Amino acid sequence: VQLVESGGGLVQAGGSLRLSCATSGFTFGDYAIGWYRQAPGQEREAISCIKNTDGRTYYYASAVKGRFTISSDRAKNTVYLQMDNLEPEDTAVYYCAGRKIHYSNGPCLSGIDYWGQGTQVTVSS
């Protein structure tokens, strides 16, 4: 099983990045894929999640609502996080995570099965 993030980098405030989480080794359509981030000295924070069973999306961090968009490409087994109007406070390591969906109305992010290695996002002011 692999979850591989890419797309991080250095960007100026107000700019955009699109992170990718390429997955392999499990049945993509049976899983929820979420994004977390961890800034230096802070706890890991859940950002967003998508259930590939039905396409429902969830956003957890109030600071990113309206700026970040999660999407999924089942043909590529890849989940994306489009990040617009980036702020220096968005600087963190971003991780994707996978969780098998057992109940369609259950939580999207609870009890992660697999983690990616993370990708650094740095937003300069």
Side-chain angles (χ1 to χ4, degrees):
V1 173
Q2 282 192 312
L3 287 81
V4 180
E5 302 96 335
S6 62
L10 174 64
V11 65
Q12 288 189 331
S16 298
L17 286 173
R18 188 177 78 158
L19 304 184
S20 299
C21 175
T23 73
S24 62
F26 58 87
T27 304
F28 187 74
D30 290 344
Y31 276 72
I33 303 295
W35 287 95
Y36 290 78
R37 68 184 180 185
Q38 187 167 21
Q42 297 187 22
E43 294 186 354
R44 192 170 294 190
E45 172 187 36
I47 301 171
S48 183
C49 182
I50 185 167
K51 289 183 177 179
N52 288 317
T53 48
D54 57 21
R56 281 185 286 178
T57 59
Y58 304 82
Y59 295 90
Y60 302 102
S62 59
V64 308
K65 289 180 180 177
R67 299 190 297 121
F68 290 11
T69 305
I70 193 169
S71 62
S72 178
D73 186 336
R74 296 187 64 161
K76 296 182 178 180
N77 289 349
T78 298
V79 170
Y80 303 97
L81 186 68
Q82 177 67 40
M83 306 187 297
D84 297 318
N85 194 21
L86 283 160
E87 303 169 353
E89 292 74 22
D90 296 317
T91 295
V93 178
Y94 285 70
Y95 300 88
C96 65
R99 172 184 178 271
K100 188 170 184 179
I101 297 295
H102 297 283
Y103 303 102
S104 62
N105 291 321
C108 195
L109 286 178
S110 177
I112 298 299
D113 294 311
Y114 308 112
W115 288 93
Q117 83 289 349
T119 186
Q120 176 70 46
V121 171
T122 303
V123 184
S124 63
S125 57

